[in-house]
Amino acid sequence: MASENTPDTLLGAITYFADLDVATVFVASLRWPDGVRCPHCDSVDTPYVKSRRIWQCKNCRKQFSVKVGSIFEDSPIPLSKWLPAMWLLVNCKNGVSSYEIARDLGVTQKTAWFMLHRLRLAIQAKSFDKMKGDIELDETFIGGKARNMHQGKRKRLGITQGRSMAGKVAVFGLLERHHEKGS
Ligand SMILES: [Zn+2]
């Protein structure tokens, strides 16, 4: 792989997404490719509170995490489990069972089944959002170069971090669909 940080093994994905800042930025850049929008009121005036990994909407004054309004909501499962599970799902060409996910990620089989169910729905709906479709999922494993648009987006997210993730973001082959967003 061209990018040193791009996880191309399960172990790599687990290590990569163990950093909650990395996982948060990753999901945020996929959910909001054109900049963070408040899931409550659609405002873009949403400064990031890095210490708590939440956004504070200045319009409706509600706070939200990257999970709010997504398939990851309503569960205590951390992104450090969700993202490697997604990695398994899109990279195992012969399919992946809840038993495998349970074993590999150290969750119960019931939890693994729940995760698989939601992730498959997201693939069907082509979106991490509960309702509308922003993201197309493709089975292609995408490296960094085509994705360096995220560099500017990350700045708009107000997120800085120690190691550079520029161009290394879309490791699951998640393709953004750039559709019109009414403002
Ligand atoms: Zn709001």
Side-chain angles (χ1 to χ4, degrees):
M1 298 299 295
S3 302
E4 65 201 88
N5 286 344
T6 303
D8 51 7
T9 63
L10 173 63
L11 182 61
I14 289 171
T15 306
Y16 190 66
F17 293 118
D19 184 333
L20 193 49
D21 287 319
V22 170
T24 299
V25 169
F26 179 82
V27 174
S29 65
L30 288 168
R31 287 195 66 200
W32 301 299
D34 301 315
V36 174
R37 280 177 179 267
C38 174
H40 305 293
C41 73
D42 215 33
S43 169
V44 294
D45 192 5
T46 56
Y48 187 57
V49 185
K50 189 175 190 301
S51 57
R52 297 172 59 204
R53 298 189 188 87
I54 53 130
W55 287 263
Q56 170 78 57
C57 179
K58 290 209 165 175
N59 184 48
C60 71
R61 302 198 170 276
K62 289 177 182 163
Q63 298 174 341
F64 55 95
S65 72
V66 77
K67 288 169 118 183
V68 170
S70 79
I71 61 158
F72 309 118
E73 199 179 10
D74 309 325
S75 87
I77 302 163
L79 292 177
S80 59
K81 303 280 186 193
W82 277 112
L83 295 174
M86 177 66 100
W87 188 94
L88 277 169
L89 187 58
V90 299
N91 282 286
C92 295
K93 297 298 181 194
N94 298 322
V96 61
S97 72
S98 57
Y99 295 97
E100 289 170 272
I101 287 188
R103 185 195 60 211
D104 290 344
L105 299 184
V107 296
T108 66
Q109 192 263 333
K110 190 179 170 187
T111 294
W113 185 92
F114 169 81
M115 295 168 82
L116 263 184
H117 180 69
R118 283 220 165 164
L119 290 170
R120 286 190 174 123
L121 283 180
I123 287 173
Q124 271 181 356
K126 299 177 191 272
S127 173
F128 279 151
D129 285 0
K130 277 178 173 172
M131 303 290 235
K132 57 188 179 183
D134 290 70
I135 302 159
E136 274 186 6
L137 287 90
D138 186 80
E139 294 198 352
T140 313
F141 198 96
I142 295 180
K145 293 211 167 147
R147 319 306 306 176
N148 54 17
M149 66 183 75
H150 287 299
Q151 199 165 8
K153 285 166 189 166
R154 194 160 301 104
K155 277 182 194 157
R156 287 204 295 281
L157 294 176
I159 295 167
T160 55
Q161 56 187 19
R163 64 181 150 144
S164 170
M165 275 183 62
K168 299 171 185 171
V169 178
V171 292
F172 295 136
L174 295 158
L175 292 177
E176 294 165 19
R177 176 192 295 161
H178 293 277
H179 68 107
E180 294 295 318
K181 291 187 178 183
S183 56

